[in-house]
Amino acid sequence: MARSAIINVMVQAAMKAGRSLSRDFGEVQNLQVSLKGPGDYVSQADRRAEDIVYTELSKARPGYAFLMEERGAVDGADDQHRWIVDPLDGTTNFLHGIPVFAISIALERQGQLVAGVVYNPVMDELYTAERGGGAFMNDRRLRVAARTRLSDAVIGCGIPHLGRGHHGNFLVELRNVMGEAAGVRRLGSAALDLAYVAAGRMDGYWETGLSAWDVAAGLLLVREAGGFASEPDGGQDMLESGNVVAGNEAIHRALVNTLSKPVSSR
Ligand code: 2AM
Ligand code: CA
Ligand code: CA
Ligand code: CA
């Protein structure tokens, strides 16, 4: 399947940043690390990967605006296009030597997500999606899982970390999901969680308190793989709120219902 010009630009940037992350992952003990807030680390690896993505995308499409985790918002002369980038999603895993992390790059045109790339350099798994064009992993077309019952489903989640304020609410949600799903998983990279839902590896996923760069590319992957995504209350402002529920149509609906129950009886 031939990739479009814009996906090629994004893939080149993601793979170049991936080579940098792979090198740094091999010498993780030598990296300078600093703390942005409680439990919230950033390293030279994050910044190097972000510099690469920023340089590559700026060269290929001068004037597009950016929203990047480490740089923040960068205005562009072109007010139609914005890149939303997480250069290293899964920093905590990365710094602990756990090989579950990814680069996430999304493109918005007039406020609408039109292209997304998520790349895990350790597994060499490259996820791509373009609006209306389907989702792919390494050129294989993706489809969300077909399971329709929560009791058959493996559900991914994010666990609020130190410094995030909704631990009690999460425990209620987890208890509800544990009472109904076949299994629950926690990868530690929201971009990969959503990519795994798109690939049918996980049947559903929920997490709250995220940022636009964690989920922008992954949300397009899920939709283009035939899946559904919303906020827990059914809204569609996931990039603003950072609260996400995803799955195929049936699992998405079941998860939305389960998450909103007061407390499970089981
Ligand atoms: P990050 O690795 O790019 O920071 C995991 O639940 C998700 O939460 C990841 O996408 C991770 O993105 C994000 N996250 C943000 N701040 C975090 C923190 N302090 N600890 C762990 N994950 C964090
Ligand atoms: Ca971070
Ligand atoms: Ca992230
Ligand atoms: Ca990050």
Side-chain angles (χ1 to χ4, degrees), residues 83-159:
W83 301 111
I84 304 179
V85 179
D86 192 337
L88 170 48
D89 188 52
T91 296
T92 302
N93 282 344
F94 186 96
L95 294 176
H96 286 255
I98 299 170
V100 180
F101 55 86
I103 298 135
S104 174
I105 304 175
L107 178 63
E108 266 184 350
R109 182 175 296 132
Q110 298 175 330
Q112 194 169 55
L113 289 171
V114 293
V117 169
V118 173
Y119 181 50
N120 175 344
V122 177
M123 304 284 284
D124 196 25
E125 289 183 340
L126 176 69
Y127 298 86
T128 59
E130 220 172 334
R131 191 178 149 80
F136 298 83
M137 182 179 67
N138 298 346
D139 295 328
R140 186 170 61 78
R141 182 92 191 230
L142 297 180
R143 183 83 205 155
V144 289
R147 292 176 202 89
T148 55
R149 287 189 303 258
L150 263 187
S151 56
D152 296 326
V154 166
I155 304 298
C157 67
I159 303 175

Side-chain angles (χ1 to χ4, degrees), residues 36 46 69-70 86-91 213-214:
K36 298 199 283 187
D46 300 65
E69 181 175 8
E70 310 310 336
D86 192 337
L88 170 48
D89 188 52
T91 296
W213 48 77
D214 300 315

Side-chain angles (χ1 to χ4, degrees), residues 35-81:
L35 206 52
K36 298 199 283 187
D40 190 4
Y41 293 90
V42 60
S43 74
Q44 272 176 312
D46 300 65
R47 297 196 207 282
R48 278 187 195 126
E50 188 171 284
D51 288 347
I52 290 167
V53 173
Y54 182 73
T55 304
E56 291 293 308
L57 296 180
S58 303
K59 251 194 299 188
R61 293 293 183 275
Y64 284 20
F66 284 86
L67 177 65
M68 309 184 94
E69 181 175 8
E70 310 310 336
R71 266 181 178 71
V74 181
D75 287 340
D78 178 329
D79 62 4
Q80 304 286 299
H81 292 93

